[in-house]
């Protein structure tokens, strides 16, 4: 099939550092090409892909030229696909609802994967304006705020089996990986690590809007020894970071749509200790790939139990449930269904 993939322009595909959605898109495109499809990726010009690249901008917005209006960039993306829509059998959008008015009028089958939280004001009004538009969720929990959307599938993320090498030795520290925002739970991670007297290594970016939060709540706790901030990590450093951990702490306080870092840890054989929120019960198998906990005290107890989990089994369950090849085949099935109904 001739397939167009529309990617956000904030990061390259795959991203140089932080960026879960863009990583998933990169893996999906490459897997679809390996399955024999003709795939065109609409993304920033600094992206890398096995497919054909249609560069909407020379560089991704976050690491590129300052001052570029994100709305203007998105307009260019929508214009690019509008001009080439008839070149494709199906269009797959990863940029939420913004292209819907155009995609709805091209006459070409399309679907949209929603990658973010959906409990946003007036989003139901937007989705309601496109009752026939097909959507894919990345967890069943993600759907809850919009039960009336035209959901055609839930397709969990997957990553290539060769992306991370597992480590089967006991780790020497706890890991936290993600944005340094209150809803991701870095303060709780610090308290848990101190309670169990284990080092905590934090691999994370500091969003510009969260600078005050970081300086007031986190910086005073980061001593460079017991609590160590190592900054953003790319894929190579992430492998070492996750594989060397005794467990990944995921003490979220928001309806996480998926949580890519959880399966990245599993790919390394590292157990996940995660709060019972959002997609967590769909991703973590309690007592097998980690522990689903209710609060800090429960998490403290789980850290002590994590060393008893079989890291080889964690890796095996990752391969069975969260490989990129599985993700690509599920999307392929949806594409064929849309194309058959055109």
């Amino acid at each position: 099939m001739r397939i167009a993939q529309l990617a956000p322009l904030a990061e390259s595909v795959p991203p140089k550092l932080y960026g879960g959605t863009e990583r998933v898109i990169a893996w999906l495109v490459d897997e679809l090409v390996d399955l024999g499809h003709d795939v065109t990726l609409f993304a920033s010009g600094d992206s890398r892909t096995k497919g054909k690249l249609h560069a909407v901008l020379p560089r991704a917005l976050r690491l590129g030229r300052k001052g570029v209006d994100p709305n203007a960039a998105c307009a260019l993306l929508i214009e690019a696909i509008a001009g080439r829509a008839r070149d494709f059998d199906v269009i797959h959008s990863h940029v939420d609802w913004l292209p819907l008015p155009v995609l709805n009028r091209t006459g070409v089958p399309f679907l949209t994967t929603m990658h973010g939280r959906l409990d946003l004001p007036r989003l139901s009004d937007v989705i309601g304006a496109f009752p026939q538009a097909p959507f894919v969720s990345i967890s069943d929990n993600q759907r809850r705020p919009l039960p009336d959307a035209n959901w055609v599938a839930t397709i969990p993320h997957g990553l290539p089996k060769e992306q991370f090498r597992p480590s089967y030795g006991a780790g020497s520290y706890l890991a936290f990986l993600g944005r340094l925002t209150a809803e991701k739970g870095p303060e709780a991670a610090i308290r848990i690590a101190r309670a169990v007297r284990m080092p905590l290594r934090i691999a994370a970016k500091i969003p510009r809007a969260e600078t005050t939060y970081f300086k007031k709540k986190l910086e005073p706790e980061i001593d460079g020894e017991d609590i160590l901030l190592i900054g953003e990590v790319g894929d190579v450093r992430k492998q070492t970071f996750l594989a060397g951990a005794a467990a990944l702490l995921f003490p979220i306080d928001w309806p996480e749509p998926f949580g890519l870092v959880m399966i990245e840890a599993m790919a390394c054989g590292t157990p996940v200790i995660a709060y019972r929120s959002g997609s967590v019960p769909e991703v973590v198998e309690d007592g097998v790939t980690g522990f689903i906990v209710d609060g800090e005290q429960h998490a403290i107890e789980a850290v002590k139990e994590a060393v008893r989990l079989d890291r080889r089994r964690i890796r095996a369950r990752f391969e069975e449930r969260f490989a990129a090849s599985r993700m690509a085949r599920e999307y392929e099935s949806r594409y064929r269904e849309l194309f058959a109904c055109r």
Side-chain angles (χ1 to χ4, degrees):
M1 299 183 74
R2 299 170 301 160
I3 304 166
Q5 298 281 341
L6 309 187
L9 299 172
E11 306 284 350
S12 62
V13 178
K16 304 297 187 293
L17 295 169
Y18 183 84
T21 297
E22 293 81 7
R23 272 190 176 78
V24 172
I25 296 169
W27 297 328
L28 174 60
V29 170
D30 288 354
E31 291 287 343
L32 289 170
V33 171
D34 289 346
L35 287 171
H37 298 290
D38 181 357
V39 186
T40 299
L41 172 65
F42 289 73
S44 62
D46 51 346
S47 299
R48 294 176 288 105
T49 179
K50 288 183 180 180
K52 301 170 183 175
L53 178 61
H54 183 119
V56 179
L57 294 174
R59 287 178 58 81
L61 296 179
R62 187 166 76 91
L63 299 179
R65 185 177 177 182
K66 303 300 180 185
V68 177
D69 183 353
N71 292 324
C74 190
L76 292 175
L77 174 65
I78 294 171
E79 175 60 20
I81 189 59
R84 293 195 56 193
R86 295 290 180 175
D87 294 342
F88 304 105
D89 298 314
V90 65
I91 299 169
H92 186 174
S93 171
H94 301 270
V95 287
D96 297 331
W97 53 88
L98 293 171
L100 287 176
V102 170
L103 295 180
N104 208 38
R105 289 165 171 79
T106 62
V108 178
F110 72 93
L111 62 78
T112 300
T113 296
M114 303 298 279
H115 288 269
R117 66 188 303 170
L118 303 182
D119 56 339
L120 303 176
R122 306 306 297 268
L123 183 53
S124 60
D125 294 340
V126 176
I127 300 303
F130 303 94
Q132 303 305 316
F135 293 96
V136 170
S137 55
I138 55 179
S139 68
D140 289 337
N141 183 272
Q142 183 195 29
R143 296 182 178 196
R144 289 186 177 183
L146 296 175
D148 297 327
N150 181 26
W151 298 110
V152 297
T154 290
I155 302 180
H157 289 333
L159 61 89
K161 294 179 182 179
E162 66 277 8
Q163 185 76 17
F164 296 116
R165 300 183 308 278
S167 172
Y168 301 129
S172 58
Y173 55 87
L174 299 174
F176 178 93
L177 176 61
R179 288 180 290 113
L180 290 181
T181 61
E183 64 186 14
K184 291 286 190 177
E187 295 171 79
I190 291 171
R191 290 192 295 268
I192 292 165
R194 290 199 188 281
V196 297
R197 298 184 178 181
M198 288 186 69
L200 176 69
R201 294 186 182 178
I202 302 170
K205 77 172 184 176
I206 305 170
R208 191 173 304 170
E210 301 293 337
T211 302
T212 300
Y213 167 73
F214 172 77
K215 288 189 175 296
K216 290 181 64 175
K217 299 293 187 179
L218 301 179
E219 194 170 45
E221 301 294 331
I222 297 171
D223 56 21
E225 295 181 5
D226 293 332
I227 311 297
L228 177 63
L229 175 65
I230 64 175
E232 288 189 72
V233 293
D235 287 339
V236 175
R237 290 185 67 197
K238 187 186 295 184
Q239 149 76 45
T240 305
F241 174 75
L242 289 173
L248 171 77
L249 297 182
F250 198 68
I252 56 171
D253 186 26
W254 76 299
E256 174 70 65
F258 185 79
L260 185 64
V261 64
M262 291 190 286
I263 67 171
E264 290 176 327
M266 293 175 196
C268 295
T270 301
V272 178
I273 298 172
Y275 281 16
R276 192 186 307 275
S277 186
S279 66
V280 165
E282 299 174 51
V283 178
V284 177
E285 295 174 276
D286 192 53
V288 179
T289 57
F291 294 101
I292 302 169
V293 300
D294 299 297
E296 289 181 30
Q297 187 56 46
H298 193 184
I300 291 166
E301 297 166 3
V303 170
K304 299 172 184 176
E305 293 295 321
V307 295
R308 298 185 179 141
L309 295 180
D310 184 343
R311 293 176 75 112
R312 284 180 170 80
R313 190 179 183 196
I314 293 172
R315 169 69 189 194
R317 291 301 290 157
F318 153 74
E319 292 187 7
E320 292 163 10
R321 300 183 64 211
F322 297 115
S325 55
R326 183 273 311 157
M327 173 180 66
R329 288 193 299 271
E330 290 189 28
Y331 275 115
E332 181 185 45
S333 295
R334 302 289 85 73
Y335 300 155
R336 294 195 186 282
E337 290 171 1
L338 290 170
F339 187 72
C341 295
R342 71 193 190 282

